[in-house]
PDB file of all heavy atoms in Angstrom:
ATOM      1  N   GLU A   1       0.827  -1.202   0.000  1.00  0.00           N
ATOM      2  CA  GLU A   1       0.000   0.000   0.000  1.00  0.00           C
ATOM      3  C   GLU A   1       0.863   1.255   0.000  1.00  0.00           C
ATOM      4  O   GLU A   1       0.568   2.243  -0.683  1.00  0.00           O
ATOM      5  CB  GLU A   1      -0.949   0.009   1.194  1.00  0.00           C
ATOM      6  CG  GLU A   1      -1.949   1.159   1.116  1.00  0.00           C
ATOM      7  CD  GLU A   1      -2.892   1.224   2.292  1.00  0.00           C
ATOM      8  OE1 GLU A   1      -2.599   0.641   3.355  1.00  0.00           O
ATOM      9  OE2 GLU A   1      -3.931   1.898   2.156  1.00  0.00           O
ATOM     10  N   PHE A   2       1.943   1.232   0.768  1.00  0.00           N
ATOM     11  CA  PHE A   2       2.873   2.358   0.797  1.00  0.00           C
ATOM     12  C   PHE A   2       3.353   2.690  -0.611  1.00  0.00           C
ATOM     13  O   PHE A   2       3.264   3.841  -1.062  1.00  0.00           O
ATOM     14  CB  PHE A   2       4.056   2.014   1.713  1.00  0.00           C
ATOM     15  CG  PHE A   2       5.110   3.084   1.809  1.00  0.00           C
ATOM     16  CD1 PHE A   2       5.058   4.038   2.807  1.00  0.00           C
ATOM     17  CD2 PHE A   2       6.168   3.135   0.907  1.00  0.00           C
ATOM     18  CE1 PHE A   2       6.042   5.021   2.901  1.00  0.00           C
ATOM     19  CE2 PHE A   2       7.145   4.112   0.988  1.00  0.00           C
ATOM     20  CZ  PHE A   2       7.076   5.065   1.995  1.00  0.00           C
ATOM     21  N   TYR A   3       3.848   1.686  -1.320  1.00  0.00           N
ATOM     22  CA  TYR A   3       4.413   1.937  -2.651  1.00  0.00           C
ATOM     23  C   TYR A   3       3.326   2.214  -3.687  1.00  0.00           C
ATOM     24  O   TYR A   3       3.578   2.950  -4.659  1.00  0.00           O
ATOM     25  CB  TYR A   3       5.311   0.776  -3.065  1.00  0.00           C
ATOM     26  CG  TYR A   3       6.659   0.851  -2.380  1.00  0.00           C
ATOM     27  CD1 TYR A   3       6.985   0.007  -1.332  1.00  0.00           C
ATOM     28  CD2 TYR A   3       7.586   1.823  -2.759  1.00  0.00           C
ATOM     29  CE1 TYR A   3       8.207   0.098  -0.686  1.00  0.00           C
ATOM     30  CE2 TYR A   3       8.817   1.919  -2.122  1.00  0.00           C
ATOM     31  CZ  TYR A   3       9.118   1.061  -1.088  1.00  0.00           C
ATOM     32  OH  TYR A   3      10.321   1.165  -0.445  1.00  0.00           O
ATOM     33  N   GLU A   4       2.137   1.660  -3.497  1.00  0.00           N
ATOM     34  CA  GLU A   4       1.023   1.978  -4.391  1.00  0.00           C
ATOM     35  C   GLU A   4       0.696   3.464  -4.316  1.00  0.00           C
ATOM     36  O   GLU A   4       0.473   4.130  -5.345  1.00  0.00           O
ATOM     37  CB  GLU A   4      -0.199   1.147  -4.002  1.00  0.00           C
ATOM     38  CG  GLU A   4      -1.472   1.501  -4.745  1.00  0.00           C
ATOM     39  CD  GLU A   4      -1.477   1.061  -6.204  1.00  0.00           C
ATOM     40  OE1 GLU A   4      -0.649   0.189  -6.563  1.00  0.00           O
ATOM     41  OE2 GLU A   4      -2.295   1.587  -6.980  1.00  0.00           O
ATOM     42  N   ILE A   5       0.678   4.017  -3.113  1.00  0.00           N
ATOM     43  CA  ILE A   5       0.326   5.431  -2.931  1.00  0.00           C
ATOM     44  C   ILE A   5       1.418   6.345  -3.479  1.00  0.00           C
ATOM     45  O   ILE A   5       1.144   7.306  -4.202  1.00  0.00           O
ATOM     46  CB  ILE A   5       0.031   5.717  -1.448  1.00  0.00           C
ATOM     47  CG1 ILE A   5      -1.286   5.031  -1.046  1.00  0.00           C
ATOM     48  CG2 ILE A   5      -0.045   7.228  -1.178  1.00  0.00           C
ATOM     49  CD1 ILE A   5      -1.550   5.003   0.435  1.00  0.00           C
ATOM     50  N   ILE A   6       2.681   6.055  -3.178  1.00  0.00           N
ATOM     51  CA  ILE A   6       3.734   6.975  -3.609  1.00  0.00           C
ATOM     52  C   ILE A   6       4.040   6.853  -5.095  1.00  0.00           C
ATOM     53  O   ILE A   6       4.712   7.721  -5.661  1.00  0.00           O
ATOM     54  CB  ILE A   6       5.035   6.813  -2.792  1.00  0.00           C
ATOM     55  CG1 ILE A   6       5.755   5.503  -3.117  1.00  0.00           C
ATOM     56  CG2 ILE A   6       4.742   6.940  -1.298  1.00  0.00           C
ATOM     57  CD1 ILE A   6       7.155   5.447  -2.524  1.00  0.00           C
ATOM     58  N   SER A   7       3.525   5.809  -5.753  1.00  0.00           N
ATOM     59  CA  SER A   7       3.786   5.657  -7.183  1.00  0.00           C
ATOM     60  C   SER A   7       3.179   6.795  -7.999  1.00  0.00           C
ATOM     61  O   SER A   7       3.570   7.008  -9.147  1.00  0.00           O
ATOM     62  CB  SER A   7       3.237   4.316  -7.685  1.00  0.00           C
ATOM     63  OG  SER A   7       1.810   4.289  -7.627  1.00  0.00           O
ATOM     64  N   ALA A   8       2.233   7.526  -7.422  1.00  0.00           N
ATOM     65  CA  ALA A   8       1.624   8.659  -8.134  1.00  0.00           C
ATOM     66  C   ALA A   8       2.521   9.891  -8.131  1.00  0.00           C
ATOM     67  O   ALA A   8       2.228  10.869  -8.838  1.00  0.00           O
ATOM     68  CB  ALA A   8       0.274   8.997  -7.494  1.00  0.00           C
ATOM     69  N   TYR A   9       3.611   9.849  -7.359  1.00  0.00           N
ATOM     70  CA  TYR A   9       4.476  11.024  -7.198  1.00  0.00           C
ATOM     71  C   TYR A   9       5.899  10.631  -7.586  1.00  0.00           C
ATOM     72  O   TYR A   9       6.631  10.018  -6.801  1.00  0.00           O
ATOM     73  CB  TYR A   9       4.396  11.521  -5.746  1.00  0.00           C
ATOM     74  CG  TYR A   9       2.967  11.850  -5.371  1.00  0.00           C
ATOM     75  CD1 TYR A   9       2.180  10.921  -4.686  1.00  0.00           C
ATOM     76  CD2 TYR A   9       2.396  13.063  -5.732  1.00  0.00           C
ATOM     77  CE1 TYR A   9       0.858  11.208  -4.365  1.00  0.00           C
ATOM     78  CE2 TYR A   9       1.077  13.357  -5.421  1.00  0.00           C
ATOM     79  CZ  TYR A   9       0.319  12.417  -4.737  1.00  0.00           C
ATOM     80  OH  TYR A   9      -0.996  12.695  -4.432  1.00  0.00           O
ATOM     81  N   PRO A  10       6.319  10.962  -8.818  1.00  0.00           N
ATOM     82  CA  PRO A  10       7.552  10.398  -9.386  1.00  0.00           C
ATOM     83  C   PRO A  10       8.796  10.587  -8.532  1.00  0.00           C
ATOM     84  O   PRO A  10       9.594   9.656  -8.397  1.00  0.00           O
ATOM     85  CB  PRO A  10       7.676  11.135 -10.730  1.00  0.00           C
ATOM     86  CG  PRO A  10       6.290  11.577 -11.061  1.00  0.00           C
ATOM     87  CD  PRO A  10       5.615  11.845  -9.771  1.00  0.00           C
ATOM     88  N   ASP A  11       8.970  11.770  -7.941  1.00  0.00           N
ATOM     89  CA  ASP A  11      10.222  12.003  -7.218  1.00  0.00           C
ATOM     90  C   ASP A  11      10.181  11.484  -5.785  1.00  0.00           C
ATOM     91  O   ASP A  11      11.233  11.238  -5.194  1.00  0.00           O
ATOM     92  CB  ASP A  11      10.584  13.484  -7.262  1.00  0.00           C
ATOM     93  CG  ASP A  11      11.163  13.885  -8.617  1.00  0.00           C
ATOM     94  OD1 ASP A  11      11.879  13.052  -9.206  1.00  0.00           O
ATOM     95  OD2 ASP A  11      10.876  14.988  -9.099  1.00  0.00           O
ATOM     96  N   ILE A  12       8.997  11.293  -5.214  1.00  0.00           N
ATOM     97  CA  ILE A  12       8.923  10.559  -3.946  1.00  0.00           C
ATOM     98  C   ILE A  12       9.290   9.106  -4.201  1.00  0.00           C
ATOM     99  O   ILE A  12      10.086   8.501  -3.472  1.00  0.00           O
ATOM    100  CB  ILE A  12       7.520  10.651  -3.315  1.00  0.00           C
ATOM    101  CG1 ILE A  12       7.130  12.090  -3.020  1.00  0.00           C
ATOM    102  CG2 ILE A  12       7.481   9.818  -2.035  1.00  0.00           C
ATOM    103  CD1 ILE A  12       5.733  12.241  -2.410  1.00  0.00           C
ATOM    104  N   GLU A  13       8.714   8.544  -5.263  1.00  0.00           N
ATOM    105  CA  GLU A  13       9.011   7.146  -5.590  1.00  0.00           C
ATOM    106  C   GLU A  13      10.494   6.975  -5.882  1.00  0.00           C
ATOM    107  O   GLU A  13      11.129   6.009  -5.429  1.00  0.00           O
ATOM    108  CB  GLU A  13       8.176   6.709  -6.787  1.00  0.00           C
ATOM    109  CG  GLU A  13       8.344   5.239  -7.133  1.00  0.00           C
ATOM    110  CD  GLU A  13       7.458   4.829  -8.293  1.00  0.00           C
ATOM    111  OE1 GLU A  13       7.379   5.593  -9.286  1.00  0.00           O
ATOM    112  OE2 GLU A  13       6.866   3.735  -8.217  1.00  0.00           O
ATOM    113  N   ARG A  14      11.072   7.903  -6.604  1.00  0.00           N
ATOM    114  CA  ARG A  14      12.507   7.823  -6.929  1.00  0.00           C
ATOM    115  C   ARG A  14      13.357   7.891  -5.664  1.00  0.00           C
ATOM    116  O   ARG A  14      14.390   7.220  -5.558  1.00  0.00           O
ATOM    117  CB  ARG A  14      12.869   8.969  -7.888  1.00  0.00           C
ATOM    118  CG  ARG A  14      14.266   8.868  -8.490  1.00  0.00           C
ATOM    119  CD  ARG A  14      14.357   9.683  -9.766  1.00  0.00           C
ATOM    120  NE  ARG A  14      14.179  11.109  -9.529  1.00  0.00           N
ATOM    121  CZ  ARG A  14      15.183  11.989  -9.484  1.00  0.00           C
ATOM    122  NH1 ARG A  14      16.431  11.576  -9.643  1.00  0.00           N
ATOM    123  NH2 ARG A  14      14.943  13.260  -9.295  1.00  0.00           N
ATOM    124  N   HIS A  15      12.916   8.691  -4.696  1.00  0.00           N
ATOM    125  CA  HIS A  15      13.670   8.830  -3.458  1.00  0.00           C
ATOM    126  C   HIS A  15      13.614   7.561  -2.610  1.00  0.00           C
ATOM    127  O   HIS A  15      14.603   7.196  -1.955  1.00  0.00           O
ATOM    128  CB  HIS A  15      13.106  10.015  -2.656  1.00  0.00           C
ATOM    129  CG  HIS A  15      13.917  10.399  -1.460  1.00  0.00           C
ATOM    130  ND1 HIS A  15      13.408  11.118  -0.405  1.00  0.00           N
ATOM    131  CD2 HIS A  15      15.220  10.162  -1.136  1.00  0.00           C
ATOM    132  CE1 HIS A  15      14.339  11.316   0.493  1.00  0.00           C
ATOM    133  NE2 HIS A  15      15.450  10.750   0.072  1.00  0.00           N
ATOM    134  N   LEU A  16      12.473   6.874  -2.620  1.00  0.00           N
ATOM    135  CA  LEU A  16      12.259   5.806  -1.641  1.00  0.00           C
ATOM    136  C   LEU A  16      12.170   4.400  -2.238  1.00  0.00           C
ATOM    137  O   LEU A  16      12.106   3.422  -1.485  1.00  0.00           O
ATOM    138  CB  LEU A  16      10.968   6.100  -0.851  1.00  0.00           C
ATOM    139  CG  LEU A  16      10.955   7.432  -0.092  1.00  0.00           C
ATOM    140  CD1 LEU A  16       9.606   7.646   0.575  1.00  0.00           C
ATOM    141  CD2 LEU A  16      12.075   7.487   0.941  1.00  0.00           C
ATOM    142  N   LYS A  17      12.187   4.277  -3.543  1.00  0.00           N
ATOM    143  CA  LYS A  17      11.944   2.957  -4.125  1.00  0.00           C
ATOM    144  C   LYS A  17      13.073   1.968  -3.836  1.00  0.00           C
ATOM    145  O   LYS A  17      12.842   0.749  -3.802  1.00  0.00           O
ATOM    146  CB  LYS A  17      11.722   3.074  -5.628  1.00  0.00           C
ATOM    147  CG  LYS A  17      12.959   3.499  -6.424  1.00  0.00           C
ATOM    148  CD  LYS A  17      12.652   3.558  -7.919  1.00  0.00           C
ATOM    149  CE  LYS A  17      13.890   3.986  -8.715  1.00  0.00           C
ATOM    150  NZ  LYS A  17      13.595   4.056 -10.174  1.00  0.00           N
ATOM    151  N   SER A  18      14.299   2.445  -3.633  1.00  0.00           N
ATOM    152  CA  SER A  18      15.433   1.528  -3.485  1.00  0.00           C
ATOM    153  C   SER A  18      15.771   1.214  -2.034  1.00  0.00           C
ATOM    154  O   SER A  18      16.695   0.444  -1.778  1.00  0.00           O
ATOM    155  CB  SER A  18      16.672   2.119  -4.177  1.00  0.00           C
ATOM    156  OG  SER A  18      17.041   3.349  -3.569  1.00  0.00           O
ATOM    157  N   VAL A  19      15.053   1.808  -1.068  1.00  0.00           N
ATOM    158  CA  VAL A  19      15.375   1.536   0.332  1.00  0.00           C
ATOM    159  C   VAL A  19      14.932   0.127   0.699  1.00  0.00           C
ATOM    160  O   VAL A  19      13.998  -0.428   0.112  1.00  0.00           O
ATOM    161  CB  VAL A  19      14.731   2.573   1.282  1.00  0.00           C
ATOM    162  CG1 VAL A  19      15.226   3.968   0.966  1.00  0.00           C
ATOM    163  CG2 VAL A  19      13.210   2.517   1.229  1.00  0.00           C
ATOM    164  N   GLU A  20      15.605  -0.435   1.699  1.00  0.00           N
ATOM    165  CA  GLU A  20      15.288  -1.780   2.164  1.00  0.00           C
ATOM    166  C   GLU A  20      14.842  -1.724   3.615  1.00  0.00           C
ATOM    167  O   GLU A  20      15.565  -1.221   4.470  1.00  0.00           O
ATOM    168  CB  GLU A  20      16.516  -2.691   2.040  1.00  0.00           C
ATOM    169  CG  GLU A  20      16.952  -2.975   0.615  1.00  0.00           C
ATOM    170  CD  GLU A  20      15.953  -3.864  -0.118  1.00  0.00           C
ATOM    171  OE1 GLU A  20      15.211  -4.615   0.560  1.00  0.00           O
ATOM    172  OE2 GLU A  20      15.905  -3.789  -1.364  1.00  0.00           O
ATOM    173  N   PRO A  21      13.655  -2.237   3.920  1.00  0.00           N
ATOM    174  CA  PRO A  21      13.199  -2.219   5.316  1.00  0.00           C
ATOM    175  C   PRO A  21      14.054  -3.142   6.180  1.00  0.00           C
ATOM    176  O   PRO A  21      14.467  -4.228   5.729  1.00  0.00           O
ATOM    177  CB  PRO A  21      11.757  -2.718   5.230  1.00  0.00           C
ATOM    178  CG  PRO A  21      11.693  -3.506   3.961  1.00  0.00           C
ATOM    179  CD  PRO A  21      12.654  -2.844   3.027  1.00  0.00           C
ATOM    180  N   VAL A  22      14.329  -2.722   7.406  1.00  0.00           N
ATOM    181  CA  VAL A  22      15.113  -3.540   8.335  1.00  0.00           C
ATOM    182  C   VAL A  22      14.258  -4.008   9.506  1.00  0.00           C
ATOM    183  O   VAL A  22      14.775  -4.581  10.466  1.00  0.00           O
ATOM    184  CB  VAL A  22      16.344  -2.759   8.839  1.00  0.00           C
ATOM    185  CG1 VAL A  22      17.304  -2.482   7.700  1.00  0.00           C
ATOM    186  CG2 VAL A  22      15.942  -1.463   9.527  1.00  0.00           C
ATOM    187  N   MET A  23      12.978  -3.770   9.428  1.00  0.00           N
ATOM    188  CA  MET A  23      12.013  -4.263  10.410  1.00  0.00           C
ATOM    189  C   MET A  23      10.669  -4.383   9.687  1.00  0.00           C
ATOM    190  O   MET A  23      10.491  -3.817   8.603  1.00  0.00           O
ATOM    191  CB  MET A  23      11.900  -3.296  11.595  1.00  0.00           C
ATOM    192  CG  MET A  23      11.521  -1.879  11.208  1.00  0.00           C
ATOM    193  SD  MET A  23      11.226  -0.788  12.631  1.00  0.00           S
ATOM    194  CE  MET A  23       9.515  -1.234  12.989  1.00  0.00           C
ATOM    195  N   PRO A  24       9.731  -5.116  10.228  1.00  0.00           N
ATOM    196  CA  PRO A  24       8.432  -5.242   9.557  1.00  0.00           C
ATOM    197  C   PRO A  24       7.730  -3.887   9.440  1.00  0.00           C
ATOM    198  O   PRO A  24       7.823  -3.045  10.325  1.00  0.00           O
ATOM    199  CB  PRO A  24       7.650  -6.187  10.483  1.00  0.00           C
ATOM    200  CG  PRO A  24       8.697  -6.947  11.235  1.00  0.00           C
ATOM    201  CD  PRO A  24       9.835  -5.995  11.420  1.00  0.00           C
ATOM    202  N   TRP A  25       7.030  -3.692   8.328  1.00  0.00           N
ATOM    203  CA  TRP A  25       6.232  -2.494   8.166  1.00  0.00           C
ATOM    204  C   TRP A  25       5.108  -2.497   9.193  1.00  0.00           C
ATOM    205  O   TRP A  25       4.514  -3.535   9.486  1.00  0.00           O
ATOM    206  CB  TRP A  25       5.642  -2.439   6.760  1.00  0.00           C
ATOM    207  CG  TRP A  25       6.637  -2.108   5.688  1.00  0.00           C
ATOM    208  CD1 TRP A  25       7.500  -2.965   5.081  1.00  0.00           C
ATOM    209  CD2 TRP A  25       6.868  -0.823   5.103  1.00  0.00           C
ATOM    210  NE1 TRP A  25       8.263  -2.306   4.145  1.00  0.00           N
ATOM    211  CE2 TRP A  25       7.890  -0.981   4.132  1.00  0.00           C
ATOM    212  CE3 TRP A  25       6.306   0.431   5.290  1.00  0.00           C
ATOM    213  CZ2 TRP A  25       8.363   0.066   3.364  1.00  0.00           C
ATOM    214  CZ3 TRP A  25       6.776   1.479   4.513  1.00  0.00           C
ATOM    215  CH2 TRP A  25       7.790   1.305   3.571  1.00  0.00           C
ATOM    216  N   ILE A  26       4.795  -1.322   9.715  1.00  0.00           N
ATOM    217  CA  ILE A  26       3.702  -1.171  10.675  1.00  0.00           C
ATOM    218  C   ILE A  26       2.614  -0.320  10.019  1.00  0.00           C
ATOM    219  O   ILE A  26       2.906   0.754   9.476  1.00  0.00           O
ATOM    220  CB  ILE A  26       4.198  -0.503  11.973  1.00  0.00           C
ATOM    221  CG1 ILE A  26       5.222  -1.412  12.660  1.00  0.00           C
ATOM    222  CG2 ILE A  26       3.026  -0.194  12.917  1.00  0.00           C
ATOM    223  CD1 ILE A  26       5.922  -0.761  13.836  1.00  0.00           C
ATOM    224  N   ARG A  27       1.379  -0.799  10.077  1.00  0.00           N
ATOM    225  CA  ARG A  27       0.242  -0.056   9.536  1.00  0.00           C
ATOM    226  C   ARG A  27      -0.787   0.122  10.655  1.00  0.00           C
ATOM    227  O   ARG A  27      -1.214  -0.853  11.267  1.00  0.00           O
ATOM    228  CB  ARG A  27      -0.372  -0.774   8.340  1.00  0.00           C
ATOM    229  CG  ARG A  27      -1.582  -0.070   7.765  1.00  0.00           C
ATOM    230  CD  ARG A  27      -1.945  -0.585   6.371  1.00  0.00           C
ATOM    231  NE  ARG A  27      -2.095  -2.032   6.307  1.00  0.00           N
ATOM    232  CZ  ARG A  27      -2.401  -2.700   5.192  1.00  0.00           C
ATOM    233  NH1 ARG A  27      -2.596  -2.035   4.053  1.00  0.00           N
ATOM    234  NH2 ARG A  27      -2.515  -4.010   5.193  1.00  0.00           N
ATOM    235  N   THR A  28      -1.178   1.348  10.901  1.00  0.00           N
ATOM    236  CA  THR A  28      -2.057   1.645  12.023  1.00  0.00           C
ATOM    237  C   THR A  28      -3.501   1.821  11.566  1.00  0.00           C
ATOM    238  O   THR A  28      -3.789   2.003  10.385  1.00  0.00           O
ATOM    239  CB  THR A  28      -1.629   2.940  12.734  1.00  0.00           C
ATOM    240  OG1 THR A  28      -1.991   4.074  11.917  1.00  0.00           O
ATOM    241  CG2 THR A  28      -0.139   2.959  13.010  1.00  0.00           C
ATOM    242  N   GLY A  29      -4.400   1.808  12.537  1.00  0.00           N
ATOM    243  CA  GLY A  29      -5.725   2.346  12.354  1.00  0.00           C
ATOM    244  C   GLY A  29      -5.678   3.834  12.628  1.00  0.00           C
ATOM    245  O   GLY A  29      -4.631   4.484  12.462  1.00  0.00           O
ATOM    246  N   ARG A  30      -6.781   4.399  13.077  1.00  0.00           N
ATOM    247  CA  ARG A  30      -6.797   5.829  13.360  1.00  0.00           C
ATOM    248  C   ARG A  30      -5.778   6.159  14.459  1.00  0.00           C
ATOM    249  O   ARG A  30      -5.727   5.493  15.501  1.00  0.00           O
ATOM    250  CB  ARG A  30      -8.194   6.292  13.793  1.00  0.00           C
ATOM    251  CG  ARG A  30      -8.270   7.804  13.917  1.00  0.00           C
ATOM    252  CD  ARG A  30      -9.635   8.308  14.322  1.00  0.00           C
ATOM    253  NE  ARG A  30      -9.597   9.776  14.381  1.00  0.00           N
ATOM    254  CZ  ARG A  30     -10.582  10.542  14.846  1.00  0.00           C
ATOM    255  NH1 ARG A  30     -11.709   9.986  15.282  1.00  0.00           N
ATOM    256  NH2 ARG A  30     -10.441  11.857  14.863  1.00  0.00           N
ATOM    257  N   LEU A  31      -4.973   7.168  14.230  1.00  0.00           N
ATOM    258  CA  LEU A  31      -3.915   7.543  15.164  1.00  0.00           C
ATOM    259  C   LEU A  31      -4.448   8.290  16.380  1.00  0.00           C
ATOM    260  O   LEU A  31      -3.856   8.228  17.461  1.00  0.00           O
ATOM    261  CB  LEU A  31      -2.887   8.443  14.463  1.00  0.00           C
ATOM    262  CG  LEU A  31      -2.012   7.804  13.395  1.00  0.00           C
ATOM    263  CD1 LEU A  31      -1.226   8.885  12.659  1.00  0.00           C
ATOM    264  CD2 LEU A  31      -1.056   6.792  14.023  1.00  0.00           C
ATOM    265  N   GLN A  32      -5.545   9.007  16.228  1.00  0.00           N
ATOM    266  CA  GLN A  32      -5.968   9.961  17.249  1.00  0.00           C
ATOM    267  C   GLN A  32      -6.610   9.249  18.452  1.00  0.00           C
ATOM    268  O   GLN A  32      -7.328   8.258  18.288  1.00  0.00           O
ATOM    269  CB  GLN A  32      -6.967  10.968  16.665  1.00  0.00           C
ATOM    270  CG  GLN A  32      -6.361  11.923  15.671  1.00  0.00           C
ATOM    271  CD  GLN A  32      -5.946  11.280  14.366  1.00  0.00           C
ATOM    272  OE1 GLN A  32      -6.670  10.446  13.813  1.00  0.00           O
ATOM    273  NE2 GLN A  32      -4.767  11.645  13.872  1.00  0.00           N
ATOM    274  N   ARG A  33      -6.337   9.778  19.613  1.00  0.00           N
ATOM    275  CA  ARG A  33      -7.022   9.361  20.833  1.00  0.00           C
ATOM    276  C   ARG A  33      -7.108  10.564  21.754  1.00  0.00           C
ATOM    277  O   ARG A  33      -6.286  11.487  21.694  1.00  0.00           O
ATOM    278  CB  ARG A  33      -6.315   8.194  21.517  1.00  0.00           C
ATOM    279  CG  ARG A  33      -4.904   8.497  21.979  1.00  0.00           C
ATOM    280  CD  ARG A  33      -4.306   7.299  22.716  1.00  0.00           C
ATOM    281  NE  ARG A  33      -2.952   7.580  23.169  1.00  0.00           N
ATOM    282  CZ  ARG A  33      -1.857   7.383  22.459  1.00  0.00           C
ATOM    283  NH1 ARG A  33      -1.955   6.888  21.240  1.00  0.00           N
ATOM    284  NH2 ARG A  33      -0.661   7.678  22.950  1.00  0.00           N
ATOM    285  N   SER A  34      -8.089  10.561  22.624  1.00  0.00           N
ATOM    286  CA  SER A  34      -8.254  11.654  23.586  1.00  0.00           C
ATOM    287  C   SER A  34      -8.918  11.110  24.832  1.00  0.00           C
ATOM    288  O   SER A  34      -9.420   9.981  24.861  1.00  0.00           O
ATOM    289  CB  SER A  34      -9.093  12.790  22.982  1.00  0.00           C
ATOM    290  OG  SER A  34     -10.409  12.336  22.683  1.00  0.00           O
ATOM    291  N   ALA A  35      -8.932  11.918  25.874  1.00  0.00           N
ATOM    292  CA  ALA A  35      -9.536  11.535  27.148  1.00  0.00           C
ATOM    293  C   ALA A  35     -10.237  12.750  27.738  1.00  0.00           C
ATOM    294  O   ALA A  35      -9.919  13.898  27.400  1.00  0.00           O
ATOM    295  CB  ALA A  35      -8.481  10.995  28.112  1.00  0.00           C
ATOM    296  N   SER A  36     -11.186  12.498  28.603  1.00  0.00           N
ATOM    297  CA  SER A  36     -11.932  13.590  29.232  1.00  0.00           C
ATOM    298  C   SER A  36     -11.152  14.215  30.372  1.00  0.00           C
ATOM    299  O   SER A  36     -11.364  15.385  30.708  1.00  0.00           O
ATOM    300  CB  SER A  36     -13.270  13.079  29.758  1.00  0.00           C
ATOM    301  OG  SER A  36     -13.080  12.022  30.701  1.00  0.00           O
ATOM    302  N   LYS A  37     -10.240  13.452  30.973  1.00  0.00           N
ATOM    303  CA  LYS A  37      -9.440  13.942  32.091  1.00  0.00           C
ATOM    304  C   LYS A  37      -8.076  13.296  32.052  1.00  0.00           C
ATOM    305  O   LYS A  37      -7.898  12.215  31.477  1.00  0.00           O
ATOM    306  CB  LYS A  37     -10.103  13.598  33.437  1.00  0.00           C
ATOM    307  CG  LYS A  37     -11.397  14.316  33.745  1.00  0.00           C
ATOM    308  CD  LYS A  37     -11.874  13.968  35.163  1.00  0.00           C
ATOM    309  CE  LYS A  37     -10.890  14.512  36.211  1.00  0.00           C
ATOM    310  NZ  LYS A  37     -11.360  14.228  37.592  1.00  0.00           N
TER     311      LYS A  37
END
């Protein structure tokens, strides 16, 4: 999904296409959280 999204932007893809992950990719749900107190 990461590479699918950045493929629309040529120079982002050029910058990041050759990197190699050294840990598993992490994909989150919604990042936001809050509390009343």
Side-chain angles (χ1 to χ4, degrees):
E1 188 181 19
F2 179 92
Y3 282 105
E4 173 72 18
I5 290 169
I6 71 169
S7 67
Y9 302 97
D11 283 324
I12 300 179
E13 184 178 43
R14 190 159 64 102
H15 189 201
L16 301 177
K17 68 179 180 180
S18 62
V19 300
E20 293 290 336
V22 295
M23 57 174 277
W25 287 82
I26 296 172
R27 178 165 53 180
T28 74
R30 187 179 181 188
L31 291 171
Q32 291 69 42
R33 62 177 180 272
S34 63
S36 58
K37 292 185 66 178

